[in-house]
Amino acid sequence: MAAYILRRLLLMIPTIFGILLISFTIVQFAPGGPVERMIAQLTGLDQGATARVSGSGGDIGGGDNLTDMSFEAASASSRYRGAQGLDPHFIAELEAQFGLDRPAHERFIIMISDYLRFDLGESFYRDKSVIGLIREKMPVSISLGLWTTLLIYLISIPLGVAKAVRDGQAFDVWTSAVIVIGYAVPGFLFAILLIVLFAGGTFLDLFPLRGITSENWGDLSWPRRIVDYFWHITLPVTAMVISGFATVTLLMKNSFLDEIRKQYVTTARSKGLPENRVLYGHVFRNAMILIVSGFPGAFMHIFFTGSILIETIFSLDGLGLLSFQSIVNRDYPVVFGTLYIFSLIGLIVHLFADIAYTWVDPRIDFESRES
């Protein structure tokens, strides 16, 4: 197993390199960019563009307001849309400011060399480093992702087993109706419903609508801090759990039913083994293999991408929202920095899932399989 883990760790290097190379290449052909976005803002064509770029004082060029520069007529052959009428030297300054004055292959090599040292660069539009932004947003994503994943699996696994054991009975029928509702209704609608019911909407006003802690959280005692923390995340986590438990429950039920119908279960029963030992000593372990195999994808979806609307609705500033805003604003350092971190975490989660296979079923041997 140690040799297998080492090989998997070494394979992460070319995998992440390939992910970044493909993403970087696609971005080069994507329309728009930070220079065009800034040009659109300065010419009044993009009212939603971010107004500031990192630098002393927050403005482009270390505090000098570019709108005060004198612009001369530019040639009509400018490769930036909307750049006509702007001084070519000004365009060159913008390119240098955003690091786009070098050829694409040089920029990629520089980016990879920096990433090897975990230097993710500086945000174009925020006066912060990318690693600082990720560290700042991480508590929100960890809170939503960790508790949502934990609750989904704690609910779905026993519920799926119970539905499989009682297949076709009344319990299976009415829980299936609940699962269908949870599967069909988007999570943000559950979030809105919870706000209406419990957060100052039409009915009760029991839970807050902003942040994962109160403003005076630092002044509270540790027991009150814990209560305040769970008080803030109750509604967003509940909304994500309601919309996310259906798939895992059905997967667990179907996997359990598939194992129950196999020959080894009939053989175990014919030997006189107790039913609980047959179900939970043999069937459960084999059924869990499918659940474990689907865990990395489910975890990454919940942790990074599944909470964007939830973060928006409950005013939670997490990694999902940061990534989305960075893509919209063409904030490439943040886009590639978060992609690098997401890919690294995803590969590590997949490795832990493979290791968990051997715990669920000791018969699995990755060493002999690879040889």
Side-chain angles (χ1 to χ4, degrees), residues 60-91:
I60 302 177
D64 295 328
N65 194 328
L66 290 175
T67 56
D68 294 334
M69 296 179 61
S70 60
F71 301 142
E72 301 173 357
S75 65
S77 61
S78 175
R79 62 192 178 93
Y80 293 109
R81 183 175 53 188
Q84 295 184 5
L86 298 182
D87 187 353
H89 297 292
F90 165 67
I91 302 298

Side-chain angles (χ1 to χ4, degrees), residues 159 163 166 168-181:
L159 180 58
K163 285 175 64 61
R166 300 170 178 82
Q169 300 179 16
F171 175 82
D172 181 42
V173 173
W174 72 261
T175 52
S176 294
V178 175
I179 289 173
V180 168
I181 295 174

Side-chain angles (χ1 to χ4, degrees), residues 325-341:
Q325 292 174 341
S326 301
I327 293 172
V328 172
N329 290 328
R330 305 296 195 271
D331 196 348
Y332 293 150
V334 179
V335 171
F336 290 118
T338 53
L339 176 65
Y340 175 67
I341 297 298

Side-chain angles (χ1 to χ4, degrees), residues 1 13 21-22 26 38 48 60 79-80 86 90 125 128 131 149 156 173-174 178 241 249 279 292 305 317 358 370:
M1 177 60 75
I13 298 174
L21 177 61
I22 294 173
I26 292 174
M38 188 57 61
I60 302 177
R79 62 192 178 93
Y80 293 109
L86 298 182
F90 165 67
Y125 304 112
K128 290 183 179 179
I131 197 69
T149 303
S156 299
V173 173
W174 72 261
V178 175
V241 169
T249 301
L279 293 178
V292 172
T305 61
D317 196 6
T358 61
E370 290 201 341

Side-chain angles (χ1 to χ4, degrees), residues 126-147:
R126 306 166 190 249
D127 192 17
K128 290 183 179 179
S129 65
V130 175
I131 197 69
L133 283 172
I134 293 175
R135 193 181 295 117
E136 178 184 317
K137 314 298 182 185
M138 188 66 80
V140 173
S141 295
I142 290 178
S143 296
L144 295 180
L146 181 64
W147 292 114

Side-chain angles (χ1 to χ4, degrees), residues 12 53 77 139 151 193 328 357:
M12 289 182 185
V53 177
S77 61
L151 290 175
L193 177 62
V328 172
Y357 288 154

